[in-house]
Amino acid sequence: MTERYSRQQLFQPVGNKGQQQIRSKHVLVVGAGALGSASAEALVRAGIGKLTLVDRDYVEWSNLQRQQLYTEQDAQNKLPKAIAAKNRLRQINTEVKIEALVMDAQPANLESIVQTADLIIDATDNFDIRFILNDLSHKYEVPWIYGSCVGSYGATYTVIPNVTPCLHCILKKVPVGGATCETAGIISPAVQIVAAYQITEALKILVEDVEALRHTFLTFDVWNNQHAEFKTGKMKSDKCSSCGSTQTYPYLAYENQLKTEVLCGRETVQIRPSQRHLYNFDELEKRLKKQGKVDRNPYLLSCQLPEQRFVIFQDGRVFIHGTNDIQFARSLYYRLLG
């Protein structure tokens, strides 16, 4: 028994064999915000063999209240969350192989990763991506663990392909609207509780203790002292297009992949080119300096306009902060980059 993981190995359901299993596994965490930070840190401290982090965003000051891997310096440098997380996680455990990917969580980007993963952890902030993860999970038979939180509320559910109902069975379609962290706020205990449930289920899967898995959809409101669970077994549908007898994986279809979208609960529009486009930041900086103040790092370049902030990532994606108007955002995009 190595000293590093000795207390975890003393826990009988893990033991020496379980620790070896954890060490041999690969987990994909999609989203490196509040839930992603907590889950990634817990997995790295537990001694996971490989961790892949996917996130499209960068660190901002409003993140620091609950996103535990990040510092003021990360926010000042507008460092992509995946990169900042990897930097911190390397300091925690050098034994873990960590892959950090600054990109959109879309099927074309995720399929090859999912095929090599043993588990997917949802740490996203929108249901479009969750339904993509749900379809990928069933296409490649990789378990995934749903998690969400807002205000003092949280929810989590574990999906095992060919065993449990999937998210599509339960919700039927992508929910529209609802509260977000940007509209209703969030307190960090809600994050930590969801992450604790997710990581506990993750450890059960990693050590292959399937009998211990919780077969309920769990919700809570930690501020109002509420806790509820409901059994999902009877909700599994043979007609489900994601996990039923005829699986078509509708959320992997090209027409269901957003190219221009308002980011969840934020006055920000993301524009994603139909093809990957690598910008020359040196040339772009010269051009955009005529429009406003420009800041850059190796991963992104930002330009502060009078009323909007324009952020260009290396993979060609653009955030336009300060508007929810997609048509206006597109016109601004083509004016500055066309």
Side-chain angles (χ1 to χ4, degrees):
M1 182 187 299
T2 62
E3 183 64 25
R4 178 169 205 141
Y5 307 112
S6 60
R7 302 305 185 269
Q8 183 165 276
Q9 289 171 258
L10 284 169
F11 180 61
Q12 189 274 329
V14 176
N16 294 335
K17 180 182 177 182
Q19 190 61 50
Q20 292 172 2
Q21 289 173 312
I22 292 169
R23 183 63 182 155
S24 70
K25 300 295 175 61
H26 172 202
V27 177
L28 167 62
V29 176
V30 183
L35 285 177
S37 293
S39 294
E41 181 171 339
L43 287 166
V44 166
R45 291 188 183 279
I48 191 67
K50 180 179 178 181
L51 177 74
T52 298
L53 278 169
V54 173
D55 193 277
R56 65 185 177 184
D57 213 342
Y58 58 92
V59 181
E60 299 183 88
W61 288 94
S62 62
N63 302 148
L64 302 182
Q65 163 255 347
R66 66 198 179 282
Q67 299 183 17
Q68 64 191 48
L69 290 177
Y70 308 127
T71 67
E72 292 183 352
Q73 192 65 50
D74 295 328
Q76 288 171 354
N77 294 341
K78 295 184 176 64
L79 205 60
K81 291 181 181 179
I83 303 300
K86 180 178 180 178
N87 292 345
R88 174 59 179 147
L89 293 169
R90 274 179 166 172
Q91 295 175 329
I92 293 171
N93 193 341
T94 57
E95 297 176 355
V96 177
K97 183 178 180 181
I98 301 170
E99 183 178 28
L101 300 172
V102 184
M103 66 182 192
D104 225 4
Q106 295 297 321
N109 295 334
L110 294 176
E111 288 213 43
S112 62
I113 306 169
V114 170
Q115 291 178 63
T116 67
D118 298 288
L119 174 66
I120 306 164
I121 292 184
D122 162 39
T124 67
D125 61 2
N126 71 86
F127 279 94
D128 292 294
I129 297 176
R130 290 176 181 130
F131 273 67
I132 289 171
L133 295 181
N134 187 68
D135 275 5
L136 287 171
S137 163
H138 288 84
K139 183 175 181 180
Y140 296 106
E141 298 187 352
V142 178
W144 78 286
I145 304 173
Y146 159 76
S148 66
C149 48
V150 64
S152 57
Y153 168 89
T156 181
Y157 176 61
T158 302
V159 179
I160 308 296
N162 304 317
V163 177
T164 68
C166 75
L167 195 67
H168 197 182
C169 289
I170 294 171
L171 298 182
K172 308 303 180 188
K173 61 181 181 179
V174 175
V176 177
T180 69
C181 297
E182 282 71 23
T183 60
I186 187 168
I187 56 173
S188 61
V191 174
Q192 298 301 322
I193 293 171
V194 172
Y197 278 114
Q198 284 186 295
I199 292 300
T200 303
E201 291 287 279
L203 290 172
K204 295 173 189 177
I205 292 170
L206 295 174
V207 303
E208 301 173 12
D209 187 3
V210 294
E211 295 299 320
L213 288 169
R214 187 194 70 251
H215 297 292
T216 61
F217 193 106
L218 182 149
T219 67
F220 65 84
D221 186 327
V222 67
W223 195 270
N224 293 304
N225 307 308
Q226 297 171 352
H227 181 282
E229 296 181 64
F230 63 86
K231 294 181 179 180
T232 60
K234 293 183 179 180
M235 301 179 76
K236 187 169 178 59
S237 171
D238 187 57
K239 296 180 180 179
C240 176
S241 55
S242 295
C243 74
S245 57
T246 305
Q247 300 174 3
T248 59
Y249 313 117
Y251 295 95
L252 303 185
Y254 180 82
E255 59 269 21
N256 287 332
Q257 298 174 33
L258 295 175
K259 288 185 172 55
T260 306
E261 59 181 313
V262 178
L263 297 190
C264 179
R266 297 166 64 179
E267 197 178 17
T268 300
V269 172
Q270 175 181 257
I271 297 177
R272 177 166 49 86
S274 56
Q275 295 182 339
R276 183 178 173 87
H277 182 87
L278 297 179
Y279 287 105
N280 183 317
F281 274 13
D282 292 332
E283 293 180 2
L284 201 57
E285 182 175 7
K286 291 177 184 177
R287 189 197 314 178
L288 292 180
K289 275 185 175 178
K290 300 174 183 178
Q291 306 293 331
K293 184 178 183 296
V294 174
D295 293 304
R296 61 181 283 191
N297 61 41
Y299 311 98
L300 59 85
L301 181 149
S302 69
C303 178
Q304 182 62 57
L305 306 175
E307 296 184 11
Q308 284 80 35
R309 181 155 50 90
F310 210 72
V311 180
I312 304 103
F313 293 84
Q314 277 285 9
D315 64 359
R317 290 178 302 113
V318 174
F319 284 1
I320 301 175
H321 297 285
T323 182
N324 286 330
D325 187 329
I326 288 178
Q327 290 302 117
F328 170 77
R330 283 177 174 168
S331 66
L332 185 62
Y333 172 84
Y334 287 118
R335 179 166 67 84
L336 295 180
L337 298 179

